[in-house]
Amino acid sequence: MVQPGSDMEAAAICLRKGDIVGIPTETVYGLAANALNADAVAKIFTAKNRPYFDPLIVHVHSISEALKYVHSMPEKAKLLAEEFWPGPLTLVLPKKEIIPDLVTAGHNTVGIRVPSHPVCLELLQQLDFPLAAPSANPFGYVSPTTAKHVADQLGEKVCYILDGGPCMVGVESTIVGFPQGEPVIYRLGGIAVEQITEIIGPVAEQISAGSNPSAPGQLDVHYSPRCKLILSDYTEVNDSESTCYLRYSAPIQGIDLSRQFILSPNRNPEEAAVNLFATLRMTDAAGYSLIVAELLPETGLGRAINDRLRRAAAK
Ligand code: TXA
Ligand code: MG
């Protein structure tokens, strides 16, 4: 059982020899391997129990590094990269041969991003290869936002867990592709849609689930706690001792406060995102049988949070 630590050299040694490592990013913790080594990447799929049709995101330390792995960047992709990298934005772009098909699930595109977490950036700079990394959780479960979350579920399966503290964003990166040269948002995430349209104008969205999604973050049952979750806006609730409440900013009057979890007392969606996944894990661990979740206003990161809550409710 690997315990999290801050020894960057230990993490680098594991990665250089083709092993998998839990790494901090600003969004969620990743389960990383050398993206150019298919044998190393295969270990990610095995450890996560992840289906091979679900492609991985490749992490690099700079735009110039990204250009080594993609054939071209449409003008609007360049504008987004210049504005939001390093940061929680993944661009899906035509891949070069050097990226193994296993990473991209056979697609001729690769999802690539420059993370802003200083520990992650420093690690990437010390390596002479990029890191393929999905979120460091068993497939379908809530993403990890602390090193301990990674240790709890994957501690037996990794070579090292690099601790970078709690994640500052708390939801995964926003994913933007350019299927016909024009931008399409595939996954809502840490960069709000409003921030993207401010830079490149109106953007199409393809976020709904399908049997063969272009971004499996679109699968309905993603991000699910084990415990049943319902959305309070749509459901009559029969309260009991084993029911807890996930609230945006204020508790429901007349219900035991110890069973109500507030994501952001100040009604700040960024703060709510930081607390979302840790709160879902905690309610699972506490043994509640039902989570009644309140949706946020549909603006800014509220949309990404609501997307995760709806998927958790779809299970
Ligand atoms: O914030 C994040 O993006 C985190 C951190 C670790 O960087 N990573 C993450 O990875 O959320 P993961 O595997 O949980 O989600 C990656 C999503 C998947 O739904 C995958 O299908 C999509 O990115 N994706 C990757 N490459 C793609 C491609 N070529 N085309 C379409 N979607 C792609
Ligand atoms: Mg994931």
Side-chain angles (χ1 to χ4, degrees):
M1 173 81 178
V2 169
Q3 290 305 326
S6 55
D7 186 348
M8 193 168 300
E9 190 48 29
I13 288 169
C14 288
L15 291 163
R16 286 190 196 107
K17 66 174 197 227
D19 260 322
I20 54 176
V21 170
I23 60 163
T25 86
E26 73 281 20
T27 57
V28 301
Y29 273 72
L31 183 61
N34 177 350
L36 307 181
N37 175 344
D39 291 335
V41 170
K43 294 179 187 171
I44 296 176
F45 286 91
T46 305
K48 275 191 64 120
N49 203 8
R50 181 180 176 108
Y52 286 106
F53 66 72
D54 192 354
L56 307 179
I57 293 173
V58 171
H59 299 69
V60 293
H61 61 69
S62 60
I63 296 186
S64 59
E65 191 69 13
L67 291 171
K68 291 186 188 168
Y69 306 108
V70 304
H71 265 301
S72 56
M73 263 202 192
E75 198 50 41
K76 286 179 182 172
K78 268 187 211 141
L79 289 171
L80 292 177
E82 280 161 11
E83 181 69 24
F84 297 117
W85 282 355
L89 174 74
T90 295
L91 297 174
V92 175
L93 298 167
K95 84 174 187 83
K96 283 189 182 158
E97 202 62 23
I98 186 169
I99 299 288
D101 287 334
L102 186 58
V103 171
T104 64
H107 292 276
N108 57 10
T109 54
V110 60
I112 196 159
R113 82 179 189 100
V114 181
S116 66
H117 195 297
V119 172
C120 187
L121 275 179
E122 195 181 328
L123 177 65
L124 286 166
Q125 272 149 4
Q126 288 188 13
L127 299 169
D128 56 8
F129 48 81
L131 292 176
S135 51
N137 50 279
F139 184 70
Y141 193 67
V142 181
S143 296
T145 54
T146 67
K148 182 173 184 304
H149 293 163
V150 183
D152 287 346
Q153 291 189 306
L154 297 172
E156 308 282 349
K157 299 182 172 170
V158 296
C159 179
Y160 193 70
I161 300 170
L162 185 58
D163 194 341
C167 299
M168 313 77 146
V169 175
V171 289
E172 298 83 351
S173 59
T174 302
I175 303 180
V176 183
F178 300 84
Q180 253 81 50
E182 283 303 310
V184 175
I185 296 180
Y186 292 141
R187 179 173 75 183
L188 300 168
I191 299 288
V193 176
E194 294 91 330
Q195 291 175 277
I196 289 174
T197 55
E198 203 169 297
I199 305 300
I200 56 170
V203 182
E205 295 181 17
Q206 270 173 36
I207 292 158
S208 65
S211 58
N212 188 14
S214 52
Q218 299 172 337
L219 289 172
D220 262 347
V221 295
H222 250 74
Y223 314 110
S224 307
R226 278 181 216 95
C227 165
K228 182 175 159 74
L229 182 148
I230 60 174
L231 302 172
S232 58
D233 298 36
Y234 304 132
T235 325
E236 281 290 318
V237 178
N238 290 317
D239 185 45
S240 86
E241 285 299 310
S242 67
T243 300
C244 71
Y245 296 82
L246 188 67
R247 304 290 301 168
Y248 180 23
S249 61
I252 305 169
Q253 298 296 319
I255 288 178
D256 188 356
L257 287 177
S258 70
R259 291 187 281 115
Q260 301 201 59
F261 304 105
I262 312 294
L263 292 179
S264 172
N266 304 314
R267 293 185 75 77
N268 174 342
E270 280 81 23
E271 183 184 31
V274 169
N275 294 324
L276 177 68
F277 289 149
T279 306
L280 288 175
R281 278 175 184 258
M282 182 270 292
T283 55
D284 247 5
Y288 289 105
S289 61
L290 180 65
I291 304 170
V292 181
E294 176 187 29
L295 293 171
L296 273 65
E298 292 279 349
T299 59
L301 291 204
R303 287 197 60 199
I305 293 169
N306 290 348
D307 170 83
R308 306 306 187 267
L309 291 175
R310 290 193 180 100
R311 285 173 208 281
K315 193 166 84 165

